[in-house]
Amino acid sequence: MVDLSTKVAGLSLPNLLFNASGVCCQTEADLKLMIESESGSLITKSATYEYREGNPSPRYLPLPSGLGSINSMGLPNEGYEYYLNFAKNYDYSSKKPLFISLSGLSLADNVKMCEAFVAADLPCVLEVNFSCPNVPGKPQLGYDMEAMENALNVLAPLIKKPFGVKLPPYFDIAHFDTAAAIFNKFDNLVYVTCINSVGNGLAIDFETESALIKPKDGFGGLGGLMVLNTALANVNAFYRRLPTKQVIGVGGVTSGKEVFLHVLAGASAVQIGTTLKEEGPTVFARINKELTDIMIAKGYKSLDEFRGKVKTL
Ligand code: RRO
């Protein structure tokens, strides 16, 4: 039959699918749903040092015609100690590796959070989010190459173990080159997750002539089908430029077909955001089945047989 298993950061996932950080992962109740689902792993909501309420609502909406979604959540989360506690009590024998997303509002906060996780010495994997587009007054670190390299210079030796970073979408070949050259300097940075939402889109209702979401005059991160091709480009750009590292693909997955495309572009695992938010955790069973059917139809038995093998003309 068909094998959907994969490895990320040295850990085995029974299948390649899990949640995009931010969806179904803020509270223990959310995370329990992820554990009970047919995902191959799970990641927690990006944590800050302190609890955050986030931005005022409405702050997430799906867009018409299955285009995708817009959000300006503003990093609502329970504070890192909550996720540290979850990680301490997590059943690591469950076969689903646990990823912990950290998004400190300063490098000092990221240092304090990483130190606490390192001290706890748990088998979870840290992922540092360099790409939250929605905190008023805080630009995305991923777009400031110098600040990103400086942060990695501090965090990589501190974390010591294999870790990952969550990246914003890049739109210029020069930026792929510069960012990849930075990531290649850090041996224990073993994977990049591409992409976070496409930052600062604006959705306007035609009838009411009003912005759809409340924060930031309606500006928010775009996700879902409309970002698929940007996501595939970023996955493939980093797959080509980071030969000793892995890429986790996220963006635009609504069915097994887009997962297949992410793997062709080079993804070792694939996360689901908007579609998970809209459909709920049963999405993992559906999309695993759809991907299995695609692989059978195409004669592939494992992900390795087509990962990164997108043809060019
Ligand atoms: O919480 C958010 O507003 C948010 C975050 Br931290 C992120 O990384 N990406 C996103 O689309 N929203």
Side-chain angles (χ1 to χ4, degrees), residues 25 27 41 64 115 148 160 166 178 209 304:
C25 60
T27 64
S41 182
E115 279 173 348
M148 188 162 63
K160 291 185 202 75
K166 177 78 171 273
T178 308
E209 304 176 14
D304 291 345

Side-chain angles (χ1 to χ4, degrees), residues 45-46 71-76 129 131-134 196-197:
K45 170 68 184 173
S46 292
N71 90 84
S72 182
M73 303 299 290
L75 212 28
N129 182 358
S131 48
C132 175
N134 300 328
N196 208 319
S197 53

Side-chain angles (χ1 to χ4, degrees), residues 90-283:
Y90 186 70
D91 176 10
Y92 292 95
S93 68
S94 74
K95 294 206 182 133
K96 288 193 192 190
L98 174 65
F99 292 79
I100 299 284
S101 175
L102 300 177
S103 190
L105 296 178
S106 65
L107 179 54
D109 280 1
N110 272 333
V111 167
K112 284 190 287 182
M113 292 191 288
C114 287
E115 279 173 348
F117 274 92
V118 169
D121 193 23
L122 300 166
C124 56
V125 178
L126 297 182
E127 178 174 297
V128 184
N129 182 358
F130 283 153
S131 48
C132 175
N134 300 328
V135 179
K138 294 268 175 197
Q140 295 172 69
L141 207 68
Y143 288 142
D144 181 339
M145 299 287 172
E146 223 179 284
M148 188 162 63
E149 181 163 5
N150 180 44
L152 287 170
N153 270 323
V154 174
L155 297 176
L158 198 161
I159 296 171
K160 291 185 202 75
K161 287 199 309 187
F163 75 106
V165 290
K166 177 78 171 273
L167 299 179
Y170 296 100
F171 303 96
D172 194 288
I173 301 298
H175 296 162
F176 291 134
D177 290 342
T178 308
I182 292 169
F183 304 143
N184 277 324
K185 292 181 185 175
F186 300 94
D187 285 345
N188 66 323
L189 171 57
V190 294
Y191 76 89
V192 297
T193 303
C194 304
I195 58 172
N196 208 319
S197 53
V198 173
N200 294 299
L202 176 62
I204 303 174
D205 185 90
F206 176 74
E207 296 300 333
T208 64
E209 304 176 14
S210 167
L212 284 186
I213 58 170
K214 181 165 178 177
K216 292 175 62 183
D217 297 327
F219 283 53
L222 305 176
L225 201 51
M226 74 178 116
V227 310
L228 173 66
N229 300 88
T230 299
L232 293 175
N234 276 259
V235 168
N236 190 57
F238 286 109
Y239 179 79
R240 290 175 187 276
R241 286 168 178 75
L242 306 175
T244 63
K245 305 188 191 297
Q246 293 182 295
V247 183
I248 297 180
V250 51
V253 171
T254 67
S255 72
K257 185 173 168 188
E258 294 86 22
V259 176
F260 182 81
L261 297 178
H262 267 278
V263 177
L264 266 186
S268 287
V270 176
Q271 299 175 342
I272 306 178
T274 302
T275 305
L276 168 60
K277 174 82 181 158
E278 292 306 307
E279 190 172 326
T282 55
V283 72

